[in-house]
Amino acid sequence: MTDLQECRKEIDIIDKEILRLFEKRMKVCEKVAEYKIHTGKKVLDPKREQDKITVLKDSAHGEFNELGAQELFQQIMAISRKRQYQLLTKNGVENDLKDYKMVDALPLTGVNVVFQGVEGAYSYAAMRAYFSDAINSYHVKTFRDAMEEVASGKADYAVLPIENSTEGIVTDIYDLLTEYQLYIVGEQGMKVEHVLLGIPGTSLEEIKTVYSHPQALAQCKKYLESHPDWKAVKTENTAGAAKKIHEELDRTQAAIASRAAGALYGLSVMAENICYNEENVTRFIIVSAHPIYEKSAAKISVSFELPHESGTLYHMLSHFIYNGLSMTKIESRPITGKKWEYRFFVDFEGNLEEPAVKNALRGLEAEANRMRVLGNYGQQEEE
């Protein structure tokens, strides 16, 4: 019978030898980094790594050990790259973050701000919560229109919904952030409290059609299902639905929107708390054409594309983990024109001035097909 204690002692001896050789290898990697610092040679050499892994894999005995050797040396090489990225940052080697400018505070007064929807919309409320009253604000019809206003220089900022705690992400915004070279410079959380609005004096029995934005309809799905005879119709925004009821004066129509929208358009609240979720919060981003960030900014958003290969996402995320950075969100969106390939969006805590952040972004930039820092910003919650 095998002596377990003897086997464990033997493993301990082997592990110590592996550790000794690992540290010896890392010292050589530091010499490699020194060479690359002076010559400007890239840290990642995909062909050399793949050729080396193939040789090591083929040298192993048995199918299981071949796969194990491949995984082991992929990890060792990934760790070696991370050490080289650290040394590049420590020695002041610049990366593509040089265009970003740190400021003490964003200019928030005397600026032009655009939002999608109309007065009374949640985007309007988020804008009012984030900015002072000393701004010039106006609305546009679509999210794309808002992006165009900022890209053209007509607006300094756009206020756009990016995520709801009940219904998830606003996919259109993620796609537009990829399409436009704009930057997230701020964030505003707003509690969403939907009510059913109608013409004053109207009863629930008279209602036949309910209008609202698709996300609002989805957030109030249970309430609408309790009235199966009602028809739900999508509109471009919640306040626009309230405006429609006000303009058409049709007692068979109602809107799902905010209480503020109802007051603005002279409508009565026919039902309250129709979302059935007390923590229904929408996150809005503040978008600018300028890559600036506040000194106190503590959240970063990035996007990156990956080759369609096993383990690539793990290696990308390891840059955050290895540098002690806390990820707060990860999403994926299909890449147009590339079947079954995806673009990933990650939010994590940090500031662009921090060495750990620079290390992680250097690794992402080097190893992803395409990487972009979408913004470094702070968060505000509705009071």
Side-chain angles (χ1 to χ4, degrees):
M1 180 180 292
T2 300
D3 189 324
L4 179 60
Q5 294 304 317
E6 287 300 317
C7 289
R8 286 176 172 174
K9 288 180 182 179
E10 187 175 358
I11 286 174
D12 289 344
I13 293 170
I14 294 170
D15 286 346
K16 286 181 180 179
E17 182 63 14
I18 290 174
L19 178 59
R20 185 186 70 81
L21 292 172
F22 168 73
E23 291 185 334
K24 183 177 180 181
R25 189 184 196 281
M26 292 305 296
K27 286 183 179 179
V28 177
C29 285
E30 290 177 1
K31 294 179 181 178
V32 172
E34 185 179 349
Y35 171 82
K36 292 178 178 178
I37 288 169
H38 287 96
T39 62
K41 185 177 176 63
K42 292 183 178 180
V43 169
L44 177 61
D45 186 340
K47 186 177 187 308
R48 170 174 162 72
E49 286 199 5
Q50 187 55 54
D51 290 346
K52 186 173 177 60
I53 288 173
T54 299
V55 170
L56 291 167
K57 178 182 177 182
D58 292 344
S59 299
H61 301 88
E63 183 178 352
F64 185 88
N65 284 352
E66 287 178 4
L67 292 173
Q70 175 179 293
E71 184 172 347
L72 172 64
F73 283 98
Q74 281 177 337
Q75 291 299 323
I76 290 174
M77 290 177 185
I79 293 169
S80 298
R81 292 196 302 272
K82 290 179 178 68
R83 179 56 177 154
Q84 292 181 49
Y85 296 139
Q86 285 182 345
L87 292 172
L88 263 65
T89 299
K90 186 177 180 180
N91 283 271
V93 178
E94 289 290 338
N95 56 18
D96 281 351
L97 297 178
K98 56 184 178 294
D99 291 336
Y100 271 84
K101 178 183 177 182
M102 185 175 69
V103 297
D104 289 332
L106 296 175
L108 299 182
T109 58
V111 293
N112 298 319
V113 183
V114 63
F115 64 96
Q116 183 271 338
V118 296
E119 282 72 12
Y122 287 106
S123 293
Y124 177 81
M127 179 189 68
R128 285 299 175 196
Y130 190 87
F131 292 91
S132 70
D133 292 332
I135 62 171
N136 304 308
S137 67
Y138 64 103
H139 60 83
V140 290
K141 189 175 182 180
T142 68
F143 297 143
R144 179 177 291 278
D145 291 340
M147 287 289 209
E148 285 286 352
E149 293 296 295
V150 176
S152 67
K154 294 178 182 177
D156 298 297
Y157 303 102
V159 180
L160 300 164
I162 194 168
E163 179 186 15
N164 176 265
S165 59
T166 302
E167 285 302 305
I169 66 170
V170 183
T171 56
D172 288 349
I173 301 301
Y174 279 89
D175 294 340
L176 288 169
L177 283 171
T178 299
E179 183 177 343
Y180 287 84
Q181 193 69 25
L182 302 178
Y183 306 89
I184 305 172
V185 295
E187 181 179 77
Q188 178 69 51
M190 291 294 296
K191 188 171 183 180
V192 177
E193 297 178 311
H194 294 311
V195 296
L196 185 72
L197 301 170
I199 302 300
T202 302
S203 66
L204 290 176
E205 289 71 24
E206 295 177 79
I207 300 302
K208 294 182 180 179
T209 308
V210 177
Y211 297 88
S212 196
H213 185 273
Q215 281 227 340
L217 293 174
Q219 291 161 23
C220 301
K221 182 180 178 181
K222 288 184 179 180
Y223 176 76
L224 292 173
E225 287 176 345
S226 68
H227 297 276
D229 53 325
W230 291 358
K231 180 182 179 182
V233 178
K234 299 176 182 178
T235 59
E236 291 181 344
N237 57 77
T238 55
K243 184 179 181 182
K244 173 183 174 64
I245 305 306
H246 165 73
E247 291 175 342
E248 297 185 4
L249 294 176
D250 186 341
R251 296 172 66 90
T252 68
Q253 296 179 348
I256 293 176
S258 68
R259 187 182 298 274
L264 181 64
Y265 294 110
L267 303 178
S268 293
V269 176
M270 302 179 67
E272 299 181 276
N273 303 317
I274 61 175
C275 181
Y276 299 161
N277 182 358
E278 294 182 358
E279 298 302 322
N280 186 25
V281 176
T282 295
R283 185 163 66 97
F284 292 84
I285 54 173
I286 315 302
V287 176
S288 168
H290 305 291
I292 58 176
Y293 63 101
E294 293 184 316
K295 188 176 182 179
S296 60
K299 185 175 184 179
I300 299 172
S301 293
V302 298
S303 66
F304 53 85
E305 299 174 18
L306 299 178
H308 192 53
E309 300 170 4
S310 176
T312 53
L313 179 57
Y314 168 80
H315 287 302
M316 290 301 104
L317 298 183
S318 72
H319 288 292
F320 302 109
I321 300 167
Y322 205 87
N323 285 287
L325 300 172
S326 177
M327 289 182 291
T328 58
K329 188 172 186 60
I330 179 170
E331 296 287 348
S332 64
R333 292 288 299 145
I335 300 175
T336 303
K338 296 183 179 180
K339 187 176 181 181
W340 309 125
E341 293 193 30
Y342 295 86
R343 180 179 296 108
F344 293 88
F345 297 83
V346 174
D347 293 347
F348 65 98
E349 296 175 355
N351 185 282
L352 292 177
E353 286 296 301
E354 298 171 6
V357 170
K358 292 180 179 180
N359 293 340
L361 294 179
R362 189 185 297 277
L364 287 173
E365 183 184 7
E367 298 176 18
N369 282 353
R370 185 177 303 166
M371 190 279 287
R372 184 179 160 220
V373 178
L374 298 173
N376 189 188
Y377 50 97
Q379 181 179 17
Q380 294 183 26
E381 292 290 346
E382 182 185 23
E383 296 182 357

